[in-house]
Amino acid sequence: MSGFGGNHMKVAVIGANGKEGSLIVKEAKGRGLDVTSIVRDSKKSPTDKYLVRDVYSLTADDVKDFDVLVDALGFFGPNVKEYVPATKHLIEILNGSKTRLLVVGGAGSLYLDSDHTKQLYEQDDFPEAVKPLSEEMGKSLDELRQSSINWTFISPAASFDAKGERTGKYVLAGEELTLDKNGKCEISYADFAIAMVDEIVNAKHQKKRISVRW
């Protein structure tokens, strides 16, 4: 296994054919990282190297040789209830391993104050349609906090734009929701991918949740 920061790092991406996962794969490959896609259909793999697996069929043996495992899974509608069991399974197979887990998180679980008493999704005007997703992703974060594995959970901005441009810039923040000078909290999928690969390579926020915005 290669050391952190080297250009020969071995990275596996679960959900590599998704909107965010595919951009993370592209960014990582562009920096010379050794990337393997974990997909349910080989025809949908964006890389030559791939494993055909459902998240629950992944084993410790499957992931033991990777420096970093990226969880870019997206569950929607009634399937949001899969976030917690999927996270628990990844924790189980990574226990005792040196492989780091980096998670594409959500913004809804960001805190509104430095005391961490209220989360974004608890606001009265938070969209009801998104609340179950935010709650389940927040519970997944709690599972990571209670685990002994090496994890990093990266929350995007409140406005997460799949079609937004790649500016090559982002602002790194912590557990609280932060706004730009115009009172906005936005990031594109492409710039989120840059932040994710920066953390893959630099490993500066181990066992922490961070957030990124423009």
Side-chain angles (χ1 to χ4, degrees), residues 7 67 103-104 136 153 157 165 169 187 200 207:
N7 270 350
D67 295 298
V103 179
V104 177
E136 294 306 314
F153 187 101
E165 65 178 323
K169 299 176 182 178
I187 192 79
I200 288 172
K207 298 189 177 183

Side-chain angles (χ1 to χ4, degrees), residues 76-153:
F76 305 100
N79 292 330
V80 297
K81 290 289 185 181
E82 295 297 322
Y83 273 109
V84 172
T87 300
K88 285 182 174 180
H89 180 71
L90 294 177
I91 290 169
E92 182 181 336
I93 66 173
L94 290 173
N95 260 329
S97 157
K98 292 183 179 179
T99 303
R100 295 170 59 216
L101 176 66
L102 271 67
V103 179
V104 177
S109 58
L110 288 169
Y111 295 103
L112 295 172
D113 52 47
S114 57
D115 294 330
H116 294 181
T117 55
K118 191 172 184 179
Q119 291 168 292
L120 179 61
Y121 74 79
E122 293 174 309
Q123 285 193 119
D124 292 337
D125 60 351
F126 192 83
E128 283 296 325
V130 188
K131 192 172 287 188
L133 172 69
S134 297
E135 290 176 339
E136 294 306 314
M137 294 188 88
K139 291 175 186 176
S140 297
L141 175 56
D142 290 339
E143 293 291 339
L144 292 170
R145 292 191 204 279
Q146 295 163 26
S147 76
S148 60
I149 69 168
N150 191 353
W151 60 274
T152 304
F153 187 101

